[in-house]
Amino acid sequence: MKNTVAILEHPGKMIIKETATPEPKAHEVLIKVGDVGICGSDVHGFQHGPYIPPKDPNQTIGLGHEMAGVVEKVGADVTKFKVGDRVCIEPGVPCYKCEFCLEGHYNVCPVVDFMATQPNYKGALTNYLTHPEDMTYLLPDKMTMVEGALVEPAAVGIHAGEMAGDLLGKKVVILGSGCIGLMTVQATKLMGAAEIVVIDVLQNRLDKAKELGATAIFDGREDNLVEKVKEVVGQYGADVVYETAGAIPTAKMALELVKRRGKILIVGTIPGDTPVDFLKINREVSIQTVFRYANDYPKTISMIASGKFDVLSMADKYFDYQDTQEAFEFSVNNKSDLIKGVIRVAKLD
């Protein structure tokens, strides 16, 4: 079987080159890749290189970790899958030995091998890849391949919702309505939030947030924004504020919008130092970072398959695999015309 891989030749330039087809180990499956979602971290990697640069400057950098495909071959000891099964993958492979893994929090495993980042920087933009059986999941017949690829960002939103605890009747503000913000909108709605206010600067994303369950939307450039939001959530602010944009200004805004004894959840990846004025939140406000997901894939798949969680309508731009360079350029330059891009390595449904 011929195999190719899309790699980051240098920031701003993706190339596709031939590579060997991997052979599955005993507990691995070989997957023919179908659809791959373009994550914000992929776009950052395309523009600037990985968030965590490799130690070896000659390291090959792959991109993409939101993936679904079809099982092409199974390792000798695989029992859960057979050739032809439609699957998606959880892209992080933990060690299963450290204290965090043993406690069930494998998402924070110190040596997790997460796709498109350290230590191997292996991306999903390839024709064939191998993956451990226990981090591979069968897709229900009613789910499309695109929905399978978008299980990964949906799981981020569901994990973020769960990290806030009881949301029934609570008032929530979500800063940022990119893919993860929109997934968080749906998760908090399903968990019973009474008010879901979304703030962004792109109207197409705000409109989608409203469609998916936001009760109020605001342009982040409006004057007196904090006061306007508090007219919706109450004079003291929101019970829970999610930062999903991965930006210092929105992280600072969260301090203005959270109520006393409320919670701020940092879901976005914020580079650099973020000043925190603790005088503004020294009324027993909790700040919690959220990192990926753990043990959330089965419920996420079930919720998408049931129709309760909509990921399909978010995928509004598709690119062929050979147009990977164009896909990333479009993602960088056309954010007002894009919610979620998907690269079709192979059309499998």
Side-chain angles (χ1 to χ4, degrees):
M1 295 178 289
K2 179 181 177 181
N3 193 23
T4 64
V5 60
I7 63 170
L8 184 69
E9 186 176 45
H10 56 74
K13 180 64 175 178
M14 295 290 294
I15 61 171
I16 297 175
K17 67 175 189 177
E18 291 191 11
T19 189
T21 301
E23 185 70 18
K25 297 177 183 177
H27 290 283
E28 292 182 336
V29 292
L30 176 68
I31 302 172
K32 180 178 176 64
V33 177
D35 290 325
V36 179
I38 302 174
C39 177
S41 64
D42 295 321
V43 176
H44 178 278
F46 172 75
Q47 285 185 279
H48 309 291
Y51 281 111
I52 304 175
K55 296 178 181 178
D56 180 359
N58 297 314
Q59 170 74 54
T60 298
I61 304 294
L63 296 177
H65 58 265
E66 304 172 1
M67 188 279 275
V70 172
V71 174
E72 189 78 13
K73 189 175 182 179
V74 299
D77 296 331
V78 169
T79 60
K80 290 168 53 180
F81 301 102
K82 65 182 185 303
V83 172
D85 281 344
R86 301 163 64 252
V87 296
C88 66
I89 64 168
E90 194 166 341
V93 181
C95 72
Y96 303 108
K97 298 177 182 179
C98 69
E99 62 178 282
F100 308 105
C101 285
L102 295 177
E103 291 172 351
H105 305 296
Y106 60 84
N107 55 319
V108 295
C109 171
V111 293
V112 63
D113 184 1
F114 197 88
M115 294 184 74
T117 186
Q118 62 179 340
N120 294 317
Y121 297 88
K122 180 180 79 172
L125 289 169
T126 183
N127 302 110
Y128 298 95
L129 59 79
T130 55
H131 205 66
E133 174 186 30
D134 54 6
M135 285 294 171
T136 304
Y137 298 84
L138 188 68
L139 293 180
D141 291 339
K142 62 181 68 175
M143 279 180 63
T144 66
M145 199 63 64
V146 175
E147 289 175 309
L150 299 189
V151 168
E152 198 275 344
V156 175
I158 287 172
H159 187 62
E162 293 176 329
M163 290 288 284
D166 180 18
L167 286 176
L168 187 63
K170 299 293 179 62
K171 297 178 180 180
V172 171
V173 171
I174 299 173
L175 299 169
S177 56
C179 179
I180 298 304
L182 294 171
M183 298 298 190
T184 307
V185 168
Q186 295 192 76
T188 54
K189 177 185 177 183
L190 288 169
M191 293 178 66
E195 297 283 352
I196 304 171
V197 177
V198 177
I199 301 171
D200 204 300
V201 297
L202 296 176
Q203 192 60 45
N204 64 321
R205 297 181 178 186
L206 287 171
D207 291 342
K208 177 58 72 171
K210 189 74 171 176
E211 177 186 324
L212 293 174
T215 54
I217 55 176
F218 290 95
D219 188 316
R221 297 163 296 191
E222 290 185 32
D223 294 333
N224 303 314
L225 180 60
V226 172
E227 290 77 7
K228 290 178 180 178
V229 172
K230 287 185 177 180
E231 289 176 4
V232 177
V233 299
Q235 63 177 320
Y236 296 120
D239 298 293
V240 180
V241 179
Y242 289 94
E243 197 293 322
T244 72
I248 291 174
T250 44
K252 294 171 72 173
M253 185 183 293
L255 308 180
E256 304 282 348
L257 293 171
V258 68
K259 74 189 304 184
R260 298 173 183 224
R261 306 201 80 247
K263 297 179 181 179
I264 296 173
L265 287 95
I266 305 296
V267 187
T269 301
I270 306 174
D273 297 328
T274 302
V276 177
D277 184 351
F278 285 101
L279 186 60
K280 292 182 178 179
I281 58 169
N282 70 340
R283 299 296 186 272
E284 299 193 353
V285 168
S286 301
I287 300 178
Q288 172 75 60
T289 61
V290 179
F291 192 62
R292 296 174 184 158
Y293 35 74
N295 306 302
D296 291 303
Y297 257 57
K299 72 185 76 167
T300 304
I301 292 170
S302 178
M303 291 168 71
I304 294 172
S306 71
K308 295 178 180 178
F309 203 106
D310 174 18
V311 298
L312 191 57
S313 74
M314 292 169 57
D316 56 349
K317 185 69 174 176
Y318 293 84
F319 303 89
D320 292 334
Y321 177 47
Q322 63 264 28
D323 298 325
T324 292
Q325 174 70 21
E326 176 192 337
F328 280 102
E329 289 179 352
F330 190 94
S331 299
V332 170
N333 299 319
N334 298 273
K335 293 181 180 179
S336 61
D337 300 316
L338 177 70
I339 292 174
K340 186 68 175 180
V342 175
I343 295 176
R344 311 212 89 164
V345 177
K347 187 168 176 55
L348 300 180
D349 59 6

